[in-house]
């Protein structure tokens, strides 16, 4: 898989109702968007090192989409033409820091976009999938399933997310979209092994250090 050096990561927050409940967040009227820089990428099952600025480092398992065409102001009905691969990633979040930023009304970036916070696993071809809005995915930690989701539970489906984001940001080949996390987020600790599955496909397998 090739990822351009000048790619960007567009991430979606609060896109699953049950997750919003667990964090006491309201369901948004429009997609909630934040960005991660390319320095946030962690790939090839490299270990994740817990940063020293958080005591509450959370995993968020998310379906990710790789953009394969240049696009701006994309209509939802044409959005499917802008990707051909779907994958699984982890949006690592310094929850303690994010809580403080939210209380102060500040942007989330330092709690969400720090180095190695965007784990990008493998991708599979969209053509292998019947309906991208009905795919199960889950995360196992040390062999136990800790988070489970299905893309049918998204508040805003993938094509609407792409359309909405493209009103503000030109989408480029190689850009990645994180589509939000379902309920079941939680803390990681040193020594944990994280394995992610999209349907029955294993998409990543790495350790926390
Ligand atoms: Zn997330």
């Amino acid at each position: 898989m090739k990822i351009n050096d000048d790619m960007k990561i567009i991430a979606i927050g609060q896109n699953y109702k049950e997750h919003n409940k667990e964090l006491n967040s309201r369901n948004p009227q429009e997609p909630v968007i934040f960005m991660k820089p390319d320095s946030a990428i962690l790939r090839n099952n490299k270990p994740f090192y817990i940063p020293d600025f958080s005591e509450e480092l959370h995993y968020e398992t998310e379906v990710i989409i790789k953009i394969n065409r240049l696009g701006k102001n994309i209509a939802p009905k044409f959005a499917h033409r802008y990707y051909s691969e779907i994958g699984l990633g982890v949006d690592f979040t310094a929850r303690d820091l994010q809580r403080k930023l939210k209380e102060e009304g500040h942007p989330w970036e330092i709690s969400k976009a720090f180095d190695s916070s965007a784990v990008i696993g493998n991708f599979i071809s969209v053509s292998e999938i019947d309906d991208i809005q009905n795919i199960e995915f889950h995360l196992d930690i040390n062999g136990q399933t800790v988070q489970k989701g299905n893309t049918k539970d998204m508040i805003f489906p993938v094509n609407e997310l792409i359309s909405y984001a493209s009103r503000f940001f030109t989408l480029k080949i190689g850009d990645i979209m994180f589509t939000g996390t379902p309920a079941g987020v939680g803390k990681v600790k040193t020594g944990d092994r994280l394995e992610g599955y999209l349907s029955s496909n294993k998409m990543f397998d790495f350790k926390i250090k």
Side-chain angles (χ1 to χ4, degrees):
M1 174 187 65
K2 167 100 178 87
I3 290 186
N4 294 342
D5 293 336
D6 61 351
M7 57 82 75
K8 61 183 169 294
I9 297 170
I10 297 171
I12 305 299
Q14 303 172 359
N15 202 26
Y16 288 81
K17 284 179 189 168
E18 292 301 315
H19 171 64
N20 296 340
K21 254 188 228 170
E22 74 181 346
L23 289 192
N24 293 316
S25 304
R26 271 181 300 182
N27 294 322
Q29 298 301 309
E30 286 183 320
V32 173
I33 294 187
F34 59 97
M35 310 283 280
K36 295 187 186 232
D38 60 356
S39 48
I41 294 171
L42 184 66
R43 292 182 56 218
N44 301 323
N45 291 323
K46 285 189 189 144
F48 174 80
Y49 289 84
I50 296 178
D52 61 8
F53 50 76
S54 179
E55 301 296 317
E56 198 183 355
L57 213 292
H58 274 193
Y59 59 79
E60 294 189 354
T61 314
E62 308 197 4
V63 168
I64 58 179
I65 302 290
K66 199 197 309 176
I67 299 298
N68 67 358
R69 275 176 73 172
L70 186 73
K72 171 87 182 161
N73 287 322
I74 301 161
K77 67 176 175 180
F78 297 126
H80 66 95
R81 297 182 183 175
Y82 289 80
Y83 56 91
S84 55
E85 287 174 279
I86 183 169
L88 197 71
V90 180
D91 166 24
F92 275 121
T93 303
R95 193 70 69 200
D96 44 358
L97 197 50
Q98 187 197 29
R99 202 176 293 122
K100 189 166 162 257
L101 294 163
K102 274 183 174 175
E103 280 166 13
E104 292 169 354
H106 291 158
W108 291 349
E109 267 69 12
I110 59 169
S111 69
K112 281 267 191 196
F114 54 86
D115 287 355
S116 300
S117 61
V119 174
I120 294 177
N122 297 334
F123 287 85
I124 58 176
S125 171
V126 169
S127 63
E128 290 176 40
I129 291 164
D130 292 337
D131 178 3
I132 70 154
Q133 291 308 142
N134 189 9
I135 319 171
E136 289 186 345
F137 57 101
H138 70 272
L139 174 71
D140 290 355
I141 298 187
N142 306 326
Q144 300 281 0
T145 300
V146 294
Q147 189 176 25
K148 252 188 186 168
N150 188 308
T151 53
K152 71 176 161 45
D153 297 321
M154 286 181 178
I155 296 174
F156 302 103
V158 169
N159 290 343
E160 279 184 37
L161 296 175
I162 285 174
S163 172
Y164 184 79
S166 75
R167 289 168 55 189
F168 305 95
F169 309 110
T170 298
L171 303 185
K172 293 185 175 180
I173 295 170
D175 287 351
I176 303 274
M177 178 177 274
F178 278 68
T179 60
T181 197
V185 299
K187 225 172 136 173
V188 290
K189 60 179 191 316
T190 306
D192 283 347
R193 179 182 180 185
L194 276 65
E195 297 166 281
Y197 295 83
L198 185 65
S199 301
S200 54
N201 306 286
K202 191 171 192 175
M203 307 302 273
F204 58 74
D205 181 352
F206 66 96
K207 284 197 154 171
I208 305 294
K209 296 208 169 175

